[in-house]
């Protein structure tokens, strides 16, 4: 399945998508992928949900993101400790594109991919790491594409 996704903007998840929470650093390929997206003139946004299992506080996550060399690629970056759907809604409102033109890239099918399915966004599931076992189903919805590395995203956009 090599069909390109027709998009104008991308919402990225932070933890385990762009940032390796176990090793406390950006994934090696993250900046290359974001630079590629910027070169394609996509507007990019970042969302992050901090739960009790995250191992960091809301303030620590905000500091991680704001001090990251990746921060410069995003027109908006939002963090919350409840309701990731609300974060997505805020970003969609800020980006001002139709939902069908805003791609969501997330490592959790029960959160980002599920939201995308319910709200009419194309999505890419980054199937790696801690949540790779959360396979899509009728309840979560199915992503447009699944990738095992962030770099694979470039072939679909």
């Amino acid at each position: 399945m090599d069909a390109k996704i027709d998009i104008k903007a991308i919402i990225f998840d932070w933890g385990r998508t762009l940032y390796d929470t176990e090793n406390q650093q950006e994934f090696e390929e993250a900046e290359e992928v974001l630079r590629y997206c910027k070169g394609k003139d996509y507007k990019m946004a970042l969302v992050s949900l901090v739960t009790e299992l995250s191992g960091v506080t809301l303030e620590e996550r905000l500091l991680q993101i704001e001090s990251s060399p990746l921060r410069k690629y995003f027109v908006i970056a939002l963090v919350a400790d409840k309701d990731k759907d609300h974060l997505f809604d805020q970003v969609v409102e800020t980006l001002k594109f139709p939902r069908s033109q805003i791609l969501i890239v997330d490592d959790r099918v029960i959160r980002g991919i599920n939201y995308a399915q319910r709200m009419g966004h194309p999505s890419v599931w980054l199937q790696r790491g801690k949540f790779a076992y959360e396979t899509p189903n009728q309840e979560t919805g199915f992503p447009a594409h699944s990738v095992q590395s962030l770099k694979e995203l470039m072939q679909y956009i």
Side-chain angles (χ1 to χ4, degrees), residues 48-134:
S48 182
L49 182 66
V50 177
T51 67
E52 27 196 68
L53 301 175
S54 299
V56 294
T57 66
L58 194 60
E59 293 76 19
E60 289 169 331
R61 177 61 50 87
L62 280 167
L63 184 58
Q64 259 177 9
I65 292 169
E66 291 303 321
S67 63
S68 171
L70 304 180
R71 176 61 179 95
K72 66 183 175 250
Y73 293 100
F74 302 104
V75 294
I76 185 172
L78 298 176
V79 179
D81 57 0
K82 296 180 189 96
D83 193 11
K84 193 170 184 181
D85 288 3
H86 181 68
L87 296 177
F88 284 125
D89 288 340
Q90 284 183 274
V91 169
V92 169
E93 189 175 312
T94 299
L95 293 174
K96 300 189 183 321
F97 291 113
R99 290 179 183 273
S100 62
Q101 294 181 331
I102 302 173
L103 177 68
I104 294 179
V105 179
D106 204 308
D107 70 314
R108 303 278 324 256
V109 295
I110 66 168
R111 291 211 178 95
I113 304 308
N114 179 266
Y115 176 87
Q117 177 69 25
R118 288 183 287 113
M119 303 305 285
H121 292 269
S123 61
V124 172
W125 175 36
L126 180 58
Q127 184 185 4
R128 71 169 175 202
K130 185 175 180 177
F131 302 110
Y133 69 90
E134 283 183 352

Side-chain angles (χ1 to χ4, degrees), residues 10-13 43-47 73-77 91 95:
I10 305 171
I11 302 173
F12 286 93
D13 172 56
K43 300 295 179 224
M44 292 180 284
L46 181 68
V47 297
Y73 293 100
F74 302 104
V75 294
I76 185 172
V91 169
L95 293 174

